[in-house]
Amino acid sequence: MSNGQPADTSRRNWVIATCAAGGVAGVATAVPFFETFLPSEAAKAAGAPVEFDLTGMAKGEQKIAEWRGQPVWIMRRTDEQLAALDKHDDELADPDSLRNTDGPDAINPPFAAKNHWRSVKKEYLVLVGICTHLGCSPGNKFTPGPQPSLPDDWAGGWLCPCHGSTFDLAGRVYKNKPAPDNLRIPPYKFLSETRILIGETDKA
Ligand code: FES
């Protein structure tokens, strides 16, 4: 394990280097890239927790932080987006986030994944922006409705460009897709109403 990253396989690391980097760069045209740099670069490389300021985030907006060399998405969901999460459980592979709930690299850590919105505070979703198939970076597809590469009843979410896995606005993967799991929720906790700390949680 280097740079404090999870014990990924060498294949996955290679894919992240060659695929996810390109995908993240694409997202950066739409949202600010790596919004927060409070710890030193050296501390971040060593895996230190990273603070992120939610101040000023509009509903429907996504921003990106960096933690342990990985993109971490922070999204403030709208009321409509949250309401839509209750309407397509039968289309999801793990709607109740029951898989991979243990350990420091849990996909669905119990502190955040006990509900359909998969977050500590309902509006604010925090996810590792790396596809659980081979590590590409899914792209934003927040607009609901028919569009290329997506079903006509699309409710908004993310589409992985590499092999077509789709995720809803809680990061839950749809059935019959290459990605085996929901997008990972990293450890995080709220330091105040407007600040979160990514990389640490005090809840079991
Ligand atoms: S890497 Fe995302 S679907 Fe294959």
Side-chain angles (χ1 to χ4, degrees), residues 15 19 131-138 160-167 178-179:
V15 172
C19 182
C131 181
T132 54
H133 182 217
L134 292 176
C136 291
S137 185
C160 184
C162 291
H163 312 97
S165 292
T166 46
F167 304 88

Side-chain angles (χ1 to χ4, degrees), residues 117-129:
W117 47 95
R118 297 181 80 220
S119 57
V120 174
K121 292 198 177 187
K122 195 168 181 179
E123 282 186 2
Y124 292 100
L125 179 67
V126 181
L127 292 174
V128 174

